[in-house]
Amino acid sequence: MGFARLWTGTTASGLATWALPFVLGLGVVDGALSAVELGLALGVRTAGFLLAVPAAGVLADRYSRRATVGWSGAVAAVGSLLVAAGPGQLALLLLGAALAGAGQGACRPAFQALVVEVVAEERRQEANAAMTVSVRATTLVAPSLTALLATVVPVAGLALGIAALWLIAAAVPPRGARVDRVDRVAEEATTGAPVTGTVGGDVSAGRPAMEAACGPIASARPGARVGRAASRVVARRAWSGFVADFREGLVEARRHPWFLAGLGALTAVIATGYSATGVALPLVSADRYGGATVLAGALTGYTAGALVGGLLVARLRPRAPGWVALGGLALYAVAPLSLVFPVPVWTVVAAYVVCGIGIELFNVPWFTAVQREVEPSKLARVSSLDFLLSYGLAPLGLALIAPAITAWGPAPVLVGCAVVCLAAPALAALAPGSRGFATPR
């Protein structure tokens, strides 16, 4: 029952994450939004995501993972409501998109860490596969259904549906196994120094130490001056505690060479291969094939392939799971290669099916290994680093690939992307522990 609720929550959040840019795009099609407004909304959504991910990683490790999922889903729901009211009111639209992105970013590391508290270790690969299959299956059928709904429901109504999905994501997941955490601000006030690590302590002892930290002011009569001084002390120590916590996550990530290497490979593939899909695929579809048929077919094939890959990896137990996963990641090289030459349409679609299979051969073992190898008290912070780098640098690739194609032409750029997609996982496979995605003891 606990996993069913977790599965429902992650599926709802995944569908809501996919739906917002699609619905905003429909807003451009029906004239409710301009192309400039769409670009601004997607930009601030990405900014909200990037700002929220590291903060949520710290908070999810410091406090309750379930609570972090709850408030992040609520924030995204509020943002979606503002987006619903936003067409014609740019400020509301941008605020809503930023909040939706922040909620999306905040829930990612919390959900990853909550899996460990809900699912036994021996069942996590199946659990991660089940969650990715559900998201892939819904996004396979959702575009056509959403476009059909858009003929009778305005963009604002579709945005309300996204808000409802976020409320499901916030409310349905279960509480995980209790992990003792501490309010770091109160703990730092007790000890008089920043705290690192997940420790226990009596937070009720904070007042004497706070008075000592405030020096002579602490002995003065209560008043605004004391309150402001105490607030400044708390704020400084809260910030130093946050920085110390995030740094602790970085230290934990560095303890796993295979993680750093795999994250570097994933980041490189997303920044090049995904950028080829985002920029070059629409251009090739329009210029070479005369329309959007190849674009639609390739994206559908990718999602179908990912669905198949998720089903396969649920039971796959190779002897070298890390190398198999990195090999799956390297399969993304066939996507840019399929766009270099004028090949039949089915070849491009087949290439994207292979990419979809490969990305889930990587994703599921990757998430499972991170959940197994990383110290549980630091899992959300390490997961936030994963999302921050892999998806945070994707816009950089999108921004660079279009000028590169203009300067050198599509063929050299696409071949370069393919080379990176092959070389980055191959280099990651040389890192200690990469064979099994396991840290050498």
Side-chain angles (χ1 to χ4, degrees):
M1 183 63 180
F3 173 69
R5 293 171 61 187
L6 178 64
W7 177 86
T8 302
T10 54
T11 301
S13 71
L15 184 55
T17 297
W18 163 85
L20 183 59
F22 187 82
V23 168
L24 290 175
L26 290 176
V28 174
V29 172
D30 69 10
L33 296 173
S34 69
V36 173
E37 289 173 331
L38 173 63
L40 290 173
L42 294 179
V44 298
R45 173 177 176 261
T46 300
F49 178 94
L50 296 178
L51 290 173
V53 165
V58 171
L59 294 174
D61 278 343
R62 183 186 288 185
Y63 305 113
S64 163
R65 277 82 185 260
R66 175 62 187 85
T68 304
V69 166
W71 66 253
S72 62
V75 167
V78 171
S80 301
L81 291 174
L82 293 177
V83 168
Q89 303 180 68
L90 183 58
L92 273 183
L93 175 67
L94 297 184
L95 177 60
L99 289 176
Q104 173 196 339
C107 79
R108 290 298 92 201
F111 265 125
Q112 286 299 314
L114 189 58
V115 171
V116 173
E117 298 182 358
V118 174
V119 182
E121 181 177 337
E122 64 273 11
R123 301 300 301 275
R124 285 178 198 153
Q125 182 153 327
E126 291 95 330
N128 287 320
M131 288 186 285
T132 196
V133 164
S134 67
V135 172
R136 298 297 187 182
T138 53
T139 55
L140 184 62
V141 299
S144 57
L145 293 178
T146 305
L148 183 62
L149 277 175
T151 62
V152 294
V153 178
V155 170
L158 297 175
L160 291 176
I162 296 173
L165 288 172
W166 278 118
L167 290 177
I168 293 172
V172 171
R175 292 184 178 275
R178 179 134 182 113
V179 177
D180 289 334
R181 294 183 180 85
V182 137
D183 180 338
R184 299 292 178 86
V185 175
E187 180 67 10
E188 287 163 12
T190 304
T191 62
V195 176
T196 58
T198 301
V199 296
D202 179 11
V203 299
S204 66
R207 185 177 300 276
M210 179 63 73
E211 292 173 352
C214 292
I217 297 176
S219 62
R221 289 185 302 168
R225 192 156 57 100
V226 176
R228 287 195 298 270
S231 297
R232 286 195 294 270
V233 171
V234 170
R236 284 197 300 269
R237 288 183 173 168
W239 174 249
S240 64
F242 174 86
V243 172
D245 280 1
F246 189 72
R247 187 184 299 119
E248 195 176 52
L250 295 177
V251 171
E252 173 66 13
R254 290 175 58 189
R255 196 171 66 84
H256 307 282
W258 61 269
F259 174 81
L260 295 179
L263 180 55
L266 177 61
T267 301
V269 169
I270 288 178
T272 54
Y274 277 39
S275 296
T277 296
V279 176
L281 178 60
L283 295 175
V284 170
S285 180
D287 296 343
R288 183 181 298 163
Y289 298 97
T293 302
V294 170
L295 173 62
L299 296 181
T300 302
Y302 177 80
T303 304
L307 179 59
V308 172
L311 292 172
L312 287 175
V313 80
R315 296 293 180 181
L316 189 65
R317 296 295 187 276
R319 291 188 176 182
W323 287 352
V324 171
L326 291 169
L329 184 62
L331 288 176
Y332 210 97
V334 302
L337 287 178
S338 71
L339 305 176
V340 174
F341 302 107
V343 296
V345 171
W346 67 264
T347 305
V348 179
V349 175
Y352 274 88
V353 171
V354 170
C355 291
I357 294 173
I359 202 65
E360 293 308 334
L361 289 178
F362 175 83
N363 276 341
V364 173
W366 174 259
F367 289 140
T368 304
V370 171
Q371 291 161 352
R372 181 188 67 244
E373 296 293 319
V374 172
E375 184 181 329
S377 65
K378 303 182 179 88
L379 178 55
R381 281 168 283 177
V382 173
S383 295
S384 73
L385 182 65
D386 180 353
F387 290 111
L388 183 64
L389 291 181
S390 58
Y391 292 99
L393 293 181
L396 180 62
L398 289 171
L400 294 178
I401 193 169
I405 288 175
T406 301
W408 297 300
V413 174
L414 291 170
V415 170
C417 289
V419 169
V420 172
C421 290
L422 287 171
L427 291 174
L430 302 177
S434 64
R435 185 178 190 273
F437 277 171
T439 304
R441 305 300 180 188

